[in-house]
Amino acid sequence: MQRFVVAALLLLGLALAGLSIQRTGADELFVRVADGAFMLGDRPFPFVGANNYYLLYAPPEMTEDVFRAATAADFTVMRFWGFLNGPSVNDIAIQPTLGSFDEGGLQHLDRVIVLARRHGIRLVISLANNWEHFGGREWYAAAAGSEDPDDFYRLDACRSAYRAMLQTVVGRTNTINGIPYAADPTILGWELMNEPRCPSDPTGETLTNWIAEMGTALKNLAPHQLLAAGGEGFFNSPSPQTGPSDWTRDGSLGTDWDRIASLPCVDYTTCHLYPEHWGKPTDWGEAWIRDHLLKASALGKPMVLQEYGIRDRSSRNAIYETWWALLEASPSSGSLVWILTGNRPDGTPYPDFDGFDLKPSDDTMPLLRNHAQRMRQRSR
């Protein structure tokens, strides 16, 4: 820990002096990818953690409550929404109108990063949403005068606003601790969009090109931090074995996992897994994970099961254990469960809106802690 603090202060001094950060120094602090695996210094960094979408706009005590629960579970990574576009939530917004940004909202983002650093948690920050919640691509398109959400990828006004957001957020210096975001190893990586899709172009060309363009721009701003596209893992490769009607593989959602994962700007690959929600049997998830692990390994990149959930609490733990075993057997993986929540300021539990909620008292949490410890043993 002392080495971490001293090196962080050195990086801060260099940044304040206007000097560049040399790669040899950054390697000791930033999570990186080498030989297809996450690395921290000279050791593997397979990680276990969780998702939470409300950290940005929740009262500080709610955010800290989640980080305390994550630390108690031996989690090392949290993924959360670093965007809030359009109407404010709890008087907080990041981009209230297209291409304009609110300093007050950005300071709340500063606070989340500082709290995560205090608790020893690294962050994956998602920068946009496929869905309408919190101002997704539909909001961008509507603000630019279009009723087609897929115009988010095409219209110059949307692309310019997204690039401005990259400059504003990724290029920001934290007002609380004075550390530039791009020089803060608390940020493990950035995600271009949560669950990007473009169903109007089933070839996958539109989405792949957008990810290549915006991913390259982000990596120019933050070369020491990792980048993920943020996808659910849907393929564009129907075959006699899967059948042309399998929507997870037929390209109908405008995604092409193989092409996106192959992009030079994409440092690690992702998939999501919700068999009940997707109309699949729960044992289907095992092949889904294996397929992504094998393909990622062939590309020389890690694979993160970055969202997963089972609503049926009677079978949840057994299913999770099966999935975790596959990840633990891989030399280059990570897992982020959906969703870890805590209490509201009045002490009442945060509502379980989607049926996947995990709280510190849930019987899944000790098992997750064991999973985290087993993954961590691979770094020793």
Side-chain angles (χ1 to χ4, degrees):
M1 179 62 72
Q2 184 177 6
R3 180 186 179 191
F4 181 91
V5 173
V6 170
L9 290 173
L10 175 60
L11 284 174
L12 173 57
L14 290 172
L16 293 176
L19 301 177
S20 63
I21 300 168
Q22 299 302 312
R23 185 67 189 173
T24 53
D27 280 350
E28 296 178 0
L29 289 173
F30 288 87
V31 176
R32 59 191 175 89
V33 170
D35 298 325
F38 293 110
M39 300 291 292
L40 185 59
D42 59 358
R43 293 188 175 187
F45 186 74
F47 58 81
V48 172
N51 292 268
N52 183 292
Y53 57 79
Y54 64 67
L55 300 181
L56 174 62
Y57 64 82
E61 56 267 39
M62 280 183 68
T63 300
E64 190 136 31
D65 188 52
V66 172
F67 284 137
R68 280 196 296 265
T71 302
D74 272 353
F75 291 170
T76 51
V77 175
M78 287 288 297
R79 173 176 173 258
F80 79 106
W81 296 174
F83 57 87
L84 212 170
N85 305 310
S88 64
V89 179
N90 295 341
D91 295 323
I92 297 168
I94 296 293
Q95 186 178 193
T97 59
L98 192 67
S100 68
F101 302 90
D102 181 75
E103 176 61 22
L106 290 165
Q107 289 179 13
H108 282 268
L109 187 55
D110 294 344
R111 172 180 56 82
V112 175
I113 295 169
V114 168
L115 286 174
R117 187 182 185 89
R118 184 182 304 162
H119 287 274
I121 299 291
R122 294 175 187 264
L123 298 171
V124 173
I125 304 178
S126 188
L127 294 171
N129 203 1
N130 176 70
W131 312 106
E132 71 272 18
H133 310 294
F134 310 111
R137 63 189 175 94
E138 182 178 357
W139 175 86
Y140 272 91
S146 173
E147 296 182 357
D148 183 356
D150 285 359
D151 276 344
F152 166 78
Y153 305 110
R154 301 185 179 103
L155 294 179
D156 288 342
C158 295
R159 298 161 75 88
S160 295
Y162 187 89
R163 279 182 168 271
M165 183 275 304
L166 293 182
Q167 291 283 347
T168 300
V169 175
V170 182
R172 181 174 174 79
T173 294
N174 196 307
T175 59
I176 299 173
N177 60 19
I179 302 176
Y181 281 19
D184 192 344
T186 305
I187 301 172
L188 180 148
W190 303 92
E191 179 181 278
L192 294 177
M193 178 182 284
N194 170 52
E195 302 187 332
R197 300 179 179 185
C198 185
S200 64
D201 181 6
T203 69
E205 193 78 14
T206 297
L207 182 56
T208 302
N209 289 343
W210 182 87
I211 290 170
E213 176 189 345
M214 300 306 175
T216 300
L218 191 150
K219 291 294 288 184
N220 287 335
L221 290 167
H224 301 301
Q225 292 160 339
L226 302 181
L227 174 74
E232 296 152 282
F234 301 135
F235 298 109
N236 194 340
S237 53
S239 70
Q241 289 74 31
T242 62
S245 61
D246 185 347
W247 63 273
T248 69
R249 296 177 180 270
D250 66 6
S252 59
L253 296 177
T255 66
D256 188 335
W257 186 95
D258 296 277
R259 288 181 62 195
I260 292 168
S262 300
L263 292 172
C265 63
V266 172
D267 295 304
Y268 66 93
T269 70
T270 64
C271 73
H272 295 187
L273 182 50
Y274 297 100
E276 299 156 310
H277 184 58
W278 292 351
K280 302 288 187 181
T282 53
D283 59 0
W284 175 90
E286 298 172 45
W288 186 248
I289 294 172
R290 286 195 188 96
D291 283 355
H292 287 86
L293 287 172
L294 287 171
K295 285 176 171 284
S297 177
L299 291 171
K301 297 184 180 184
M303 199 289 290
V304 178
L305 180 60
Q306 74 162 9
E307 279 191 31
Y308 61 95
I310 292 290
R311 287 195 175 102
D312 180 6
R313 291 181 179 263
S314 66
S315 63
R316 171 187 284 179
N317 288 347
I319 294 168
Y320 285 177
E321 292 274 20
T322 301
W323 294 350
W324 296 335
L326 295 172
L327 297 169
E328 291 163 16
S330 168
S332 54
S333 65
S335 72
L336 301 173
V337 70
W338 184 275
I339 170 180
L340 177 65
T341 68
N343 290 329
R344 295 180 289 196
D346 62 3
T348 58
Y350 188 79
D352 183 5
F353 288 113
D354 57 16
F356 301 114
D357 181 87
L358 285 173
K359 296 225 170 17
S361 59
D362 287 336
D363 62 3
T364 303
M365 293 305 291
L367 302 178
L368 262 167
R369 189 170 187 268
N370 292 339
H371 169 45
Q373 291 174 342
R374 290 192 297 268
M375 290 279 271
R376 186 176 293 178
Q377 286 173 358
R378 292 178 5 200
S379 66
R380 294 171 182 163

